[in-house]
Amino acid sequence: MKVSALEVFLALFVLEAVFAFMFIKAGWPESTKKGFVYKMIASAVFVAAGVYSFVSAGQKSYYSLAILAGLISGFAGDIFLTLDPFIRDKKSKLNTAAIITGGLFFLFGHICYICAFVREMLARRAFSPLITTVFWAGAMLVIIGLKLILNIKAGKLTVPVFIYALVITFMAACAVCLAKTQGGFISKPIIICAPVLFIISDFSLMIKFFDKERFNTLPIRALNLGTYYLSQMLLAVSIYALYKW
C-alpha cells in the first residue's frame, strides 16, 4: 500500500509533538541530559521532514536548498545551545564558545530562510508594495505594543533587537506576498504561518531573556519551544507544499 506525502507529514508532526512535549517537560526548571536527547530527536524530526519534502518535491530550487540549509543549521544550533547538562562550569570559556557557536548557527539559519522567501517572491514576481508595507508595519506595531504593555526593557540591546525585528517581520511580509499570489489552498497557510510562528517564538524568547523574573516560566517555555518546532516543521513542509499543493 502506497503511503501519501500527507500521511508521512502527519506522522512526522505527531512524532515532533511527542518529543517536543517531552523536551519541554524534561528541560524544566533546569537542563538535563534526558532533555538534551529529547530535544535532539525533535530537531532531527524537522530535518527529516525537510529532507523528505525536498526529495518528494523533486525541485532543486534555490528556495528548497535554502530552507533545507536553514533546517540543518537549526539542528546544529540546537546541539550547541543545549549542552548545559554536560558543562559543569557555566562561566567557562567552553560554555561561552558553545553558546556563541549555537547563536551563529541560528543566525545563519535565519539568513537562509530570509533569502529563501525573498528570492522565491521575486522569482515569481509576487512582490506587492502594499501588502509588504501593511503587514510589515502591522507586525512591528504589534511587537512594539506588546513590548510596551509588558514593560520589557532591552537596554543597550534595544537597537539590535529592533533591527532584528524589522528583518524577521520583513521575511514574514515576503511570505504573505508569496502566498497571496502563489500556492494552493493547503500551501498558503503553511507558507504564511511558518515565519509568523518564528516571530512568536523569538518574541517569547526575548521577553524571557530580558525579564527572567517574570517570564522564565513553564508556560512561556512551552510557547517558545512549541512555536519553534511547529515553525520548523512548517518550513520543512513548505518545500513540498510550494510545488505540489
Side-chain angles (χ1 to χ4, degrees), residues 31-212:
S31 299
T32 63
K33 292 180 181 180
K34 183 187 293 186
F36 174 83
V37 174
Y38 292 151
K39 181 175 185 180
M40 295 324 303
I41 294 175
S43 297
V45 171
F46 67 64
V47 173
V51 172
Y52 174 80
S53 191
F54 177 79
V55 173
S56 299
Q59 295 286 336
K60 294 182 179 179
S61 64
Y62 182 93
Y63 179 87
S64 59
L65 289 170
I67 293 294
L68 191 57
L71 293 169
I72 294 172
S73 184
F75 175 83
D78 283 336
I79 294 176
F80 286 98
L81 291 178
T82 321
L83 292 177
D84 293 28
F86 306 97
I87 303 175
R88 293 182 179 180
D89 185 1
K90 306 307 178 185
K91 296 182 179 179
S92 67
K93 291 182 179 180
L94 179 61
N95 190 50
T96 301
I99 293 173
I100 293 175
T101 302
L104 289 174
F105 271 116
F106 271 110
L107 175 61
F108 179 73
H110 277 54
I111 292 172
C112 288
Y113 294 148
I114 292 167
C115 290
F117 280 107
V118 173
R119 178 78 174 268
E120 190 68 18
M121 178 190 67
L122 295 176
R124 295 186 181 229
R125 297 180 180 178
F127 177 68
S128 168
L130 178 60
I131 293 175
T132 302
T133 302
V134 171
F135 185 90
W136 196 3
M140 284 302 299
L141 285 174
V142 170
I143 291 174
I144 293 172
L146 287 173
K147 180 182 179 300
L148 294 174
I149 292 172
L150 297 175
N151 193 28
I152 303 298
K153 297 179 181 179
K156 294 180 180 179
L157 294 177
T158 298
V159 173
V161 168
F162 182 77
I163 293 174
Y164 174 74
L166 283 172
V167 173
I168 197 169
T169 50
F170 176 70
M171 177 182 74
C174 290
V176 172
C177 286
L178 181 60
K180 177 69 176 179
T181 57
Q182 305 292 331
F185 177 75
I186 299 177
S187 62
K188 287 180 185 295
I190 291 174
I191 294 170
I192 294 174
C193 289
V196 170
L197 286 168
F198 229 118
I199 293 174
I200 296 173
S201 178
D202 283 349
F203 182 81
S204 61
L205 182 62
M206 179 197 76
I207 63 175
K208 184 173 71 171
F209 178 81
F210 289 114
D211 197 336
K212 292 182 179 180

Side-chain angles (χ1 to χ4, degrees), residues 3-13 52 186 190 237 240 245:
V3 179
S4 68
L6 181 59
E7 290 173 322
V8 173
F9 286 133
L10 286 175
L12 288 171
F13 268 99
Y52 174 80
I186 299 177
I190 291 174
V237 175
Y240 184 91
W245 288 339

